[in-house]
Amino acid sequence: MPASRRDFIRALGAIALGSVSDAGADVAAAGAQGCGAGDSLFIPRDRGFLGRLALDERTLALRAAPISGAAAPQGLSQAYLASVDRRDYVNPTLVLRAGQRVRIDLVNGIAEPTIVHWHGLAVDTRNDGGGSVVARPGEHYGYDFTLRNRGSLYWYHPHPHGLTAGQAYRGMFGLVEISDDDEDRLRAALDLAPGTSEIPLVLRDRRAGSEYAPSEADRMHGFLGDRALVNETDCAQLDVRTRIYRFRVLNASNARTYLLGWRTADGKPFPFTLIGNDGGLLAAPRTCRDAFIASAERLDILLDLSDLGVGDTLTLETRSFDPMHMEMPASAATPPVDHAAMGHGVPGAAGGGAGSGERAAAGPGAADPHAGHAGHGGSFPEGSPRALLALRVREKTSYGARIPARLSSLASIDVAQATERPLRLGFAKGRWRINDRVFAMGETPIEVRRNSVEVWLIRNYFNSMPHAMHLHGFAFEVLERQTSPDAVAALKIDDRGRLATDLGRKDTVLVWPGESVRIALDFACPFPGDQTYMFHCHNLEHEDGGMMLGVKVS
Ligand code: C2O
Ligand code: CU
Ligand code: CU
């Protein structure tokens, strides 16, 4: 049953602001508690969970299966299993080289239809796994493609329409690491080695247990957990030495956006160097204090610990921000509803009965206007601060390497001949929509000429929430952001309103309420015949709810 407008307004208000930090606020004041003596950070090895698996041209059998007991890291209940040369893997990290051929045989060993989508890879429809074809329980699906992407961290996850969010949440996700010459140069220059000085950080927020049972409010906002895990570890510790580390961050959360930054034990922000994002290395490194990362986005960062002393600690945290899950009053005659003051568990929010006005307005039969969403986001609403990972310096080491001034060369997409396509994100009749439409299998409301260049103008209504918009098959260039909310505009690095994290090539871009984002897309397509792809919000509850359109390239 579609939610009523009123339910929607209530749901959106449920985790509205209450702990807004202005851009200049002291990090310590806005920050999270540190990590106590927690578990060691889980680091992928050459087997096991997220184990690094260098694929050659042999076909990899990848089995989607239920897991339990000791085989299930941190209570995951579904995963991708592989076994190669007598090594067993759970959600293997596929270690690949640009240009290589990849052959994978997916076996569906779970009780629902599934399909693997290779997030960010430039492949044809047959290999994209976008969900127009699925493997039913017991069936196989074969992939065979050649890598056309730049080096970067990509990933894979299920994509059966309507079932994606649950399967991903239960544990079906994995990394795809593609190297190329730029990557080789970087690793050589900084003496980086995967597993010791180069470490993936996969962010996921989960609730206790492995059940995925979204409420109406969860479907509206996205399914938020009350624990923030890094590589499935809660508030992990990592022992480090005084050198440069590379952290390759993937936000594999169903819905949560993080504002990532590092701080010292005495609460001072500790800047990091952004070197890449979704689509590979930036042209040049950029120093950042903090950066947003939405569902499916990646950040490639360097952290220089050379000047620290033994015993020093650094904490990776998500900082306080206004999540903007809200609906503004339609007119001055409608008073704004201050849900934050109603005790929804937003840290810093005043408790009390400020909501009585809304309670009355909700009318008879609505004794508890929050019944459907009370406690949404639990003790950890989106935008509230939380420590994620603690680094502890254990050892001094002599390390003289410097970050190269040039990381890659990447030509801009030439938009001189481009046509502009408007795309509006909004909500109507209980559903999040793109251009007022919801997804219909087999329909392709976006039709593109192969080898053409387009500019997409993605506009999010003011009365909305942030949406992490993702296109399959083609990386894009962010051209500009306009009318960004203040917290976003505070991070801009050029007069086009772009953020450091917008540079380079992207496959997912977060569009905030009231914001217009222009992206350039080069639809160069070497595959014969019509190809279809998906364009959708990567808040997986929004995606499953139909905030997705088919795109035909012909
Ligand atoms: Cu991560 Cu449709 O994708
Ligand atoms: Cu994708
Ligand atoms: Cu969305």
Side-chain angles (χ1 to χ4, degrees):
M1 187 183 69
S4 72
R5 183 76 173 162
R6 177 175 286 165
D7 284 344
F8 168 63
I9 292 167
R10 288 186 202 141
L12 276 191
I15 57 172
L17 66 157
S19 54
V20 188
S21 68
D22 72 273
D26 182 54
V27 174
Q33 299 288 307
C35 292
D39 293 332
S40 296
L41 177 69
F42 175 83
I43 297 176
R45 315 223 164 267
D46 64 352
R47 66 195 72 193
F49 182 49
L50 302 176
R52 297 171 59 80
L53 171 51
L55 277 195
D56 51 25
E57 300 223 331
R58 284 181 294 172
T59 300
L60 174 71
L62 193 65
R63 183 178 174 80
I67 48 168
S68 60
Q74 291 285 344
L76 303 188
S77 60
Q78 291 178 337
Y80 296 107
L81 308 181
S83 194
V84 178
D85 297 334
R86 285 193 225 93
R87 291 178 182 172
D88 294 331
Y89 299 84
V90 177
N91 295 348
T93 295
L94 306 182
V95 178
L96 306 173
R97 184 76 189 176
Q100 89 167 78
R101 182 174 178 186
V102 176
R103 282 188 281 190
I104 291 170
D105 184 38
L106 170 71
V107 187
N108 184 359
I110 64 170
E112 292 180 334
T114 194
I115 193 72
V116 172
H117 167 58
W118 311 101
H119 182 117
L121 297 195
V123 293
D124 59 344
T125 304
R126 174 72 190 65
N127 286 292
D128 180 60
S132 40
V133 180
V134 294
R136 285 175 305 210
E139 286 183 350
H140 291 237
Y141 191 85
Y143 298 88
D144 185 348
F145 54 86
T146 298
L147 292 177
R148 298 167 56 239
N149 286 73
R150 303 174 76 216
S152 192
L153 183 70
Y154 302 91
W155 63 303
Y156 59 97
H157 61 76
H159 221 287
H161 184 56
L163 301 170
T164 296
Q167 292 180 11
Y169 180 79
R170 290 185 205 103
M172 290 165 69
F173 62 91
L175 303 172
V176 177
E177 183 188 297
I178 301 181
S179 66
D180 61 7
D181 294 347
D182 289 333
E183 278 289 328
D184 292 351
R185 272 190 289 273
L186 178 78
R187 280 176 173 163
L190 296 178
D191 179 33
L192 296 170
T196 52
S197 50
E198 178 182 311
I199 296 168
L201 302 178
V202 181
L203 311 180
R204 303 217 313 146
D205 59 328
R206 311 234 336 257
R207 297 180 191 172
S210 55
E211 268 321 295
Y212 178 76
S215 66
E216 193 81 355
D218 292 330
R219 276 189 269 269
M220 212 67 78
H221 296 279
F223 196 84
L224 298 172
D226 39 31
R227 292 182 308 152
L229 308 179
V230 178
N231 301 348
E232 303 300 311
T233 325
D234 202 346
C235 226
Q237 311 274 326
L238 177 67
D239 289 344
V240 292
R241 299 185 300 149
T242 50
R243 52 158 296 150
I244 290 177
Y245 282 78
R246 180 186 193 184
F247 294 104
R248 309 186 76 172
V249 188
L250 161 68
N251 183 352
S253 308
N254 276 34
R256 181 181 297 273
T257 293
Y258 303 75
L259 177 58
L260 291 185
W262 298 84
R263 69 172 155 86
T264 61
D266 53 3
K268 297 212 172 42
F270 188 90
F272 59 88
T273 305
L274 182 76
I275 56 168
N277 52 13
D278 307 353
L281 294 171
L282 307 182
R286 314 247 358 164
T287 303
C288 297
R289 193 183 95 149
D290 37 33
F292 286 106
I293 181 170
S295 175
E297 288 188 302
R298 282 87 74 203
L299 295 179
D300 197 346
I301 68 179
L302 297 176
L303 200 62
D304 188 351
L305 310 180
S306 304
D307 293 333
L308 299 191
V310 172
D312 285 351
T313 61
L314 280 184
T315 300
L316 174 68
E317 62 187 359
T318 180
R319 292 181 177 148
S320 183
F321 64 95
D322 175 0
M324 300 191 76
H325 294 218
M326 59 180 168
E327 172 116 331
M328 297 305 286
S331 74
T334 318
V337 177
D338 185 5
H339 292 262
M342 298 174 78
H344 284 294
V346 180
S356 54
E358 196 232 17
R359 233 165 256 263
D368 180 3
H370 307 295
H373 61 78
H376 184 77
S379 54
F380 185 28
E382 187 168 41
S384 63
R386 183 70 66 93
L388 303 172
L389 167 69
L391 307 183
R392 240 196 312 239
V393 179
R394 286 295 189 197
E395 205 183 313
K396 270 275 179 199
T397 187
S398 62
Y399 178 86
R402 298 255 204 84
I403 300 173
R406 299 303 299 174
L407 300 168
S408 72
S409 53
L410 186 56
S412 294
I413 296 175
D414 179 3
V415 294
Q417 309 296 322
T419 48
E420 185 167 286
R421 183 184 297 273
L423 294 150
R424 289 181 318 275
L425 314 179
F427 185 92
K429 293 188 175 171
R431 315 273 294 269
W432 289 109
R433 291 161 187 267
I434 304 170
N435 282 355
D436 301 324
R437 304 178 72 119
V438 292
F439 181 70
M441 192 63 82
E443 291 181 8
T444 51
I446 301 177
E447 303 209 341
V448 167
R449 264 195 12 257
R450 67 167 59 236
N451 304 326
S452 66
V453 172
E454 295 201 354
V455 170
W456 288 11
L457 171 59
I458 310 172
R459 278 177 299 178
N460 193 355
Y461 282 110
F462 195 71
N463 299 346
S464 185
M465 60 176 277
H467 297 288
M469 302 310 296
H470 167 56
L471 175 66
H472 290 202
F474 300 88
F476 51 81
E477 185 180 336
V478 177
L479 298 177
E480 84 183 314
R481 283 181 190 269
Q482 287 182 327
T483 53
S484 304
D486 292 349
V488 177
L491 298 176
K492 74 175 193 212
I493 50 111
D494 63 20
D495 55 12
R496 295 194 267 160
R498 296 187 301 176
L499 316 182
T501 48
D502 288 331
L503 302 175
R505 286 292 183 277
K506 295 282 294 166
D507 55 51
T508 307
V509 64
L510 186 62
V511 184
W512 292 80
E515 204 177 28
S516 298
V517 177
R518 262 198 182 77
I519 62 174
L521 301 113
D522 179 352
F523 285 100
C525 178
F527 311 113
D530 291 357
Q531 302 294 327
T532 60
Y533 298 96
M534 302 297 175
F535 174 62
H536 62 88
C537 179
H538 218 286
N539 178 318
L540 296 183
E541 283 68 37
H542 293 184
E543 174 184 345
D544 273 350
M547 194 178 186
M548 174 157 80
L549 296 181
V551 178
K552 183 173 7 184
V553 180
S554 51

